[in-house]
Amino acid sequence: MATFEEQAASAVANDVVAGVVVIAKDKDGKLDYSKSFSRKNGTVYNEDTVLALASMSKLMTSVAGLQVVEKGLITLDEDVTPLLPSLAKQEILTGFADDGTPITRKRQNPITLRQLLTHSAGLGYPFMHEEVAKFVAWKKLPPNAGTVDEAFDAVLLYEPGEGYLYSSSIDRVGQVIEKVTGQNLEDYMRQNLWGPLGMDSTTFFAAKYPNIQARRVPTAIRRDPKGPIIESSDEPWYTAGVKEPFGGQGIFSSPADYMKLLYSLLVDDEKVLKKETAALMFQPQLSPKAKESLLEKMKKPDWLIGKYTPTNEYDWGVGGILVDGDKHEFRREGYLNWGGAANPFWFIDRAAGVCGVFGIQLLPIFDPPTEDLIAAFEKEVYQKAGKL
């Protein structure tokens, strides 16, 4: 079987992808791997390439959410709705009348920070969940909303704490952070996360920083599932028109910067979180009902970037999906990962002592050739680290 590097080089040479950059490290300092692949006479990808991270933003915002808990500004299990009036008023959707009018009922449970951090607060995404999309269409919400309140002024889909749906809840975590600290999320991140880790290529607003904007790569698009990619600088991104930080989807960063966060969490150096707080990220956080809901969705994991074997050993930690058993081929218990809309991907496996980031900028999401490359990269990291 071809190695990851052979597969990546072939994919780039044959216009299957426009470029790829990967970085991996191990806890013992024996593995320090970095490799970039770019098309001949094409866009150059390297460690300092700036990517629109989309949902890979969620890890940073989740870490920041745990920081404000550490600071004693809020607890994981208190009701956050007094801080978020726009979320507090949302009711639970129970159906639609014959004329398309939504039928809702008031929620009974509070909404907690833990639920927001674990996508178990009742929220959904209109592009992923038909009921939310139908509600959004009925309410005529603007397609390019400038604020979190405008973008996600929708409806709950289940009683908070009693289900799981991947959602906009991390954008709400960003709002909680702003409320309890009195700081804009960009300023808070720069002071408490990016600054301490030396992440100087990271921001919610790339256009404001010429040095960052100049290193962004165009979005590659595969319009024909079996055809070549086309790069387009004109392709609108999710953050087009935003007026404030969206903690769940708005960050721009480089693979080198992102690795600084992954490595800090891997070696537990306490640069951004105390050891006892960081440990929560790698522990199951879902309620029994919420976990049952997640496991039902894991029977068909086509909503996830990467490969997931049917072990029934999944939960949600803080920041990503969590492996909570030992039946996987090489992922250990406590393994955490997530990705983003343009198919970038990260993972941390503290038990195996490895972490990695896969950088790419290609749509549509869940691109099969890219998923094959991610799987090959991840396995090769374990091999290089001697963990297979």
Side-chain angles (χ1 to χ4, degrees), residues 367-382:
D367 176 64
T370 303
E371 296 225 320
D372 289 341
L373 288 177
I374 291 171
F377 164 64
E378 188 178 0
K379 189 168 185 177
E380 187 143 319
V381 171
Y382 283 80

Side-chain angles (χ1 to χ4, degrees), residues 29 76 123 137 152 180 206 217 336 377:
L76 282 171
L123 289 76
F152 303 118
V180 299
V217 293
L336 195 72
F377 164 64

